[in-house]
Amino acid sequence: MTPGAAPEQRPTVDLVMQGGVTSGVVFPGALAELGAHFRFCRIGGTSAGAIAAALLAAAECGRERARKGGASAPACQAPFQALDALGQSLAGPLNPGQTGGPTVLEGLFAPDEATAGLYHAGRAAMRGDPAAALHALLDWGAAGGALARTRAVLAGGRLRGPLLDLLGGGRWNAALSPLLGTLAPGARPWGSLRGMAALALLALLLLTAAGTALLSRWCPAWAASLGALVLALVVMGLGLWRWAAGWIRAARELGRTLNTDSRALLAQAQATLSANTFGLATGYGRGEASRLTPWLHRHLQRLSGQGEVLTFGHLRAQGIELKLVTSCLSRQRPYVLPLAQNVRDARNLYFRPEEWARYFPPEVLSALVAGSERAFGVPEAAKPGATPRATPGLAYYRLPPEEKLPVLVAARLSMSFPLLFSALPLHFIRHERPWPAAALRPGEVWTWRAAKGGQPAQVQATRLRVFSVLFSDGGLTSNFPLMLFDEPVPRRPLLALNLQYRARDQPVFLAGEEGRWQPYNTHIQTPGQFAGALLDTARLWFDQSLLSLPGSAEQTACITLGPGLGGLNLGMTPGQIHTLLGKGREAAQILGKRFGTPGQPWGQEALNAFVWRNVVADLGELLVDYHRVYALYKLPTMLRAMPCTRPGEDVPGQMPGKPSRRFTPNADTLTGQEWQALHAIAQAAAQVGAVRGSGRDRVFARRPDWDQEGEREARAFLRHRPFL
């Protein structure tokens, strides 16, 4: 496809991007390059990939708005040029005119004031500088009052000098000298252990020389000389004992103090992280436009050309579908945003504006409130039996539906890397057994039955309780969400950008270059590598298994990242940032050549036929299994045993006021056309079973045979999967 073609002439594709904190720097260059070849219909991502997906959706929205407005082809492409410039700006200085300081990328992850010491300690530890990490941690603890007693003990200076001498003259001495000076400002070192030992040895030599002289001059006076020597040794021993006892007491006092203060330091860290929702940075601060949330909000609005806060409804109006993954820690499961209406909790997620004011700009919060409905919205004064104790339960707003949910909110819910970014609090409401109205507790609410037939509203006996839940990074449950747009028959190419962390830098490559996914083996030689492999296996097993399926690897570009590139390296140099941007462009060029140019090997035409073969085989396998269990002669008896609940009926044991179970089909309620359809399914299943074979050239083939290398092609199977 010619990069300069009009947007409506470009082929349409879907795109999924992987998460990776600062590794997301690869995406702006890749998206700008891909935007010259394709139009994007469905876009998905998680964590840093969610940030890139939101920016791409905004850019595509701006391009579609310009196209529908009659703009020229170059003008339509302006949002993608701005997206490319945005990537370049990440390597620029955070403070204009300052060289050698933090970059714009580093400014996105700036910590909150209360957690800055912990942030700098963690950064130093990741740089391999434990002395600087310890200095930052203890400095933060001293500022918070956790090390006050340690300061007082070291202020006398008795242990400061000997501690430095025991540590030696290496870099630890140089690193800890200012640290002890911080803990004991103005302290005067009173000598060292080596100095004390030298003075004691000198005194012993002098006493021994004097005794020898006395013995040689007055031989008869052996007893007096020996007594003098013993007396001198006793006096010296008493002095040394007194000196040592003082040091031992000081060391014991310091040990007890450090034990107490270390616990206080840990308690201070726990309290600080808990108050900050278990993160070093909320991503937002008033007057700090360089942090992640205001930075992303500003660019979303600029790329989309939208006057009001950009929502999923604005994207849908331009034919763009955006899906982002987040993780609910309290329920141990992922959610896909925006929530589909068939998700169980789609209408049972609530937020509190006063809580979210710490995370989002005022205009975004106003759009959230305006697009949602307040829970228990009947005015309190109009509710019979209402008491002031019920007031805390009335300040919840339901998470807006798709058309009114701001894109920024979903992106921030997905990009909440544990401990780096704060988790976001939401709330669930649970129905409990009936309680009398007098059992109302603080923070709990009651529902009120609406007035019917002229009757006044009355207190309903159903008790509702509000439970707080925390949402964190989407990469915890699905860091490479290929399943977002999974469908048996693909309508268009599903391109994917995958990040591969390697021990050395390597070129970008297609995962299915030779028609088969070759997984990378992680070398495990140290306990740290073992722990990392455990965590990655728990997080990535499902995502990695999807790459082995036919059609997935052939559409995935793998971007290899060597040491120091991406990940948690928040302080990457401008050169490293430009290297990542270049890798992203390289991956986009490979995908653009394969799927933007007709007739390419493993291009879209061949891929459609390849996927069709596997879909037909999987469908045949499902029909055979269906016929085995649901033979036509078994259906009448089985369906008559199925309970049938009419809409509006209550079942025994059901809570009053809750919706009754959905209508269930029964053998006596099926129509003639439905029975004909069941007959057709049974006949099709029997035909598939009759022609089913095991060869690779058969349409309804069983699992492929093993090849000479002891491998065989991976196969999927059609099964029920809940909506996320």
Side-chain angles (χ1 to χ4, degrees):
M1 182 67 202
T2 305
E8 64 273 10
Q9 298 175 353
R10 295 183 172 91
T12 57
V13 296
D14 303 330
L15 181 66
V16 170
M17 286 166 282
Q18 181 176 338
V21 197
T22 62
S23 304
V25 173
V26 304
F27 295 133
L31 301 181
E33 183 71 27
L34 287 173
H37 295 275
F38 305 106
R39 285 193 302 127
F40 300 95
C41 290
R42 299 185 297 182
I43 308 166
T46 184
S47 192
I51 301 297
L55 291 170
L56 175 59
E60 189 62 60
C61 178
R63 180 162 67 178
E64 281 297 299
R65 285 167 51 89
R67 183 184 67 83
K68 294 178 180 179
S72 62
C76 292
Q77 200 62 18
F80 283 86
Q81 295 173 355
L83 186 59
D84 188 29
L86 182 151
Q88 299 288 340
S89 68
L90 293 175
L94 179 61
N95 303 313
Q98 179 183 0
T99 59
T103 61
V104 173
L105 175 66
E106 188 174 353
L108 300 179
F109 303 94
D112 296 346
E113 183 178 357
T115 59
L118 290 174
Y119 173 83
H120 294 304
R123 286 285 310 277
M126 296 189 66
R127 290 196 307 266
D129 191 352
L134 183 61
H135 187 285
L137 181 63
L138 295 183
D139 193 30
W140 174 79
L147 296 175
R149 293 184 60 188
T150 304
R151 275 179 174 271
V153 170
L154 289 175
R158 177 181 288 272
L159 288 175
R160 180 169 174 255
L163 281 176
L164 291 177
D165 287 333
L166 287 174
L167 290 171
R171 76 184 184 102
W172 276 96
N173 189 353
L176 292 182
S177 294
L179 171 62
L180 292 177
T182 301
L183 292 174
R188 179 172 55 90
W190 288 5
S192 65
L193 289 177
R194 288 198 299 262
M196 290 293 184
L199 290 176
L201 180 60
L202 179 60
L204 180 61
L205 290 176
L206 290 176
L207 289 173
T208 303
T212 303
L214 289 172
L215 288 174
S216 61
R217 187 171 182 180
W218 297 289
C219 292
W222 280 89
S225 299
L226 184 59
L229 179 59
V230 171
L231 180 61
L233 290 174
V234 169
V235 172
M236 184 181 66
L238 291 175
L240 288 174
W241 176 82
R242 184 176 180 182
W243 169 82
W247 287 111
I248 291 173
R249 285 194 301 271
R252 287 179 176 176
E253 183 181 2
L254 179 60
R256 289 192 297 267
T257 302
L258 286 176
N259 182 38
T260 303
D261 282 2
S262 62
R263 295 182 181 183
L265 183 64
L266 180 60
Q268 179 179 324
Q270 290 177 341
T272 303
L273 288 175
S274 299
N276 219 41
T277 328
F278 307 102
L280 300 175
T282 59
Y284 174 69
R286 292 185 178 273
E288 299 184 38
S290 61
R291 300 179 73 175
L292 177 65
T293 304
W295 175 88
L296 180 59
H297 175 55
R298 184 169 64 252
H299 288 292
L300 287 176
Q301 298 302 123
R302 185 164 64 91
L303 292 174
S304 65
Q306 199 70 37
E308 53 191 8
V309 175
L310 181 66
T311 65
F312 284 86
H314 296 137
L315 300 180
R316 181 72 72 173
Q318 304 301 329
I320 305 165
E321 182 180 358
L322 176 64
K323 289 187 177 182
L324 309 176
V325 181
T326 183
S327 301
C328 181
L329 302 181
S330 304
R331 294 208 165 185
Q332 298 88 45
R333 58 156 294 176
Y335 285 89
V336 175
L337 301 172
L339 293 173
Q341 292 304 307
N342 46 13
V343 175
R344 177 181 178 181
D345 301 314
R347 292 182 58 79
N348 197 21
L349 274 175
Y350 298 83
F351 70 94
R352 296 181 64 115
E354 59 269 24
E355 286 180 339
W356 277 20
R358 300 177 54 207
Y359 304 96
F360 299 106
E363 59 270 24
V364 176
L365 201 60
S366 298
L368 266 172
V369 174
S372 63
E373 53 181 309
R374 186 171 181 175
F376 329 113
V378 180
E380 185 179 355
K383 296 179 178 180
T387 66
R389 297 172 64 190
T391 303
L394 303 177
Y396 297 89
Y397 289 80
R398 180 176 282 121
L399 200 65
E402 175 181 2
E403 61 272 13
K404 296 182 180 180
L405 179 64
V407 173
L408 177 69
V409 173
R412 178 61 180 84
L413 280 167
S414 182
M415 178 58 177
S416 303
F417 190 83
L419 295 182
L420 180 57
F421 281 113
S422 301
L424 267 69
L426 281 165
H427 306 274
F428 280 104
I429 295 180
R430 190 176 75 185
H431 296 254
E432 291 193 345
R433 55 177 295 186
W435 287 75
L440 185 67
R441 301 174 183 174
E444 298 176 351
V445 297
W446 299 85
T447 56
W448 273 257
R449 192 184 299 276
K452 293 182 179 180
Q455 299 294 327
Q458 297 183 3
V459 177
Q460 186 172 322
T462 305
R463 181 186 189 185
L464 304 179
R465 292 192 64 186
V466 179
F467 294 87
S468 297
V469 293
L470 289 181
F471 279 76
S472 189
D473 196 80
L476 294 174
T477 49
S478 181
N479 202 41
F480 188 40
L482 287 173
M483 77 323 181
L484 285 177
F485 307 118
D486 182 25
E487 52 190 359
V489 183
R491 291 173 285 176
R492 60 184 70 88
L494 175 58
L495 308 185
L497 295 175
N498 177 251
L499 304 175
Q500 298 278 335
Y501 299 93
R502 303 291 177 86
R504 57 185 180 85
D505 198 13
Q506 297 179 8
V508 177
F509 64 95
L510 277 173
E513 182 65 39
E514 299 178 358
R516 179 187 301 172
W517 162 240
Q518 298 291 346
Y520 174 71
N521 293 321
T522 302
H523 296 285
I524 303 174
Q525 297 176 337
T526 65
Q529 292 174 343
F530 180 74
L534 286 177
L535 180 61
D536 289 342
T537 302
R539 293 189 309 120
L540 307 177
W541 70 269
F542 182 68
D543 301 332
Q544 293 294 330
S545 63
L546 289 179
L547 275 176
S548 65
L549 295 179
S552 297
E554 290 77 14
Q555 302 175 93
T556 300
C558 294
I559 304 172
T560 59
L561 306 178
L565 293 180
L568 285 174
N569 185 11
L570 308 182
M572 284 192 296
T573 64
Q576 291 175 317
I577 294 175
H578 287 297
T579 298
L580 290 180
L581 290 170
K583 282 181 170 288
R585 293 191 189 92
E586 184 181 351
Q589 291 168 0
I590 294 175
L591 292 175
K593 180 180 179 181
R594 168 168 286 193
F595 296 100
T597 306
Q600 289 291 317
W602 290 101
Q604 185 57 29
E605 297 83 0
L607 191 61
N608 283 339
F610 182 63
V611 172
W612 171 84
R613 187 201 72 179
N614 290 279
V615 168
V616 170
D618 296 339
L619 183 59
E621 188 172 343
L622 179 63
L623 284 173
V624 171
D625 290 342
Y626 172 86
H627 185 63
R628 185 184 305 115
V629 179
Y630 300 115
L632 196 60
Y633 68 88
K634 298 180 181 178
L635 285 179
T637 304
M638 181 179 62
L639 292 179
R640 286 192 179 95
M642 185 181 299
C644 178
T645 304
R646 302 290 180 177
E649 294 181 358
D650 288 338
V651 298
Q654 182 174 305
M655 291 177 52
K658 290 194 68 176
S660 60
R661 287 165 42 178
R662 294 177 178 271
F663 175 73
T664 304
N666 188 279
D668 299 329
T669 64
L670 294 178
T671 65
Q673 291 182 340
E674 289 173 333
W675 275 114
Q676 292 178 4
L678 290 174
H679 274 278
I681 293 176
Q683 293 174 358
Q687 292 176 359
V688 168
V691 301
R692 195 162 179 249
S694 59
R696 288 180 177 269
D697 55 342
R698 304 295 292 272
V699 174
F700 296 103
R702 294 186 176 92
R703 285 188 60 83
D705 300 327
W706 297 97
D707 58 21
Q708 296 179 355
E709 300 177 357
E711 298 180 355
R712 64 180 178 182
E713 183 182 282
R715 282 282 299 276
F717 50 87
L718 302 179
R719 293 293 186 271
H720 292 290
R721 180 173 64 84
F723 286 92
L724 300 178

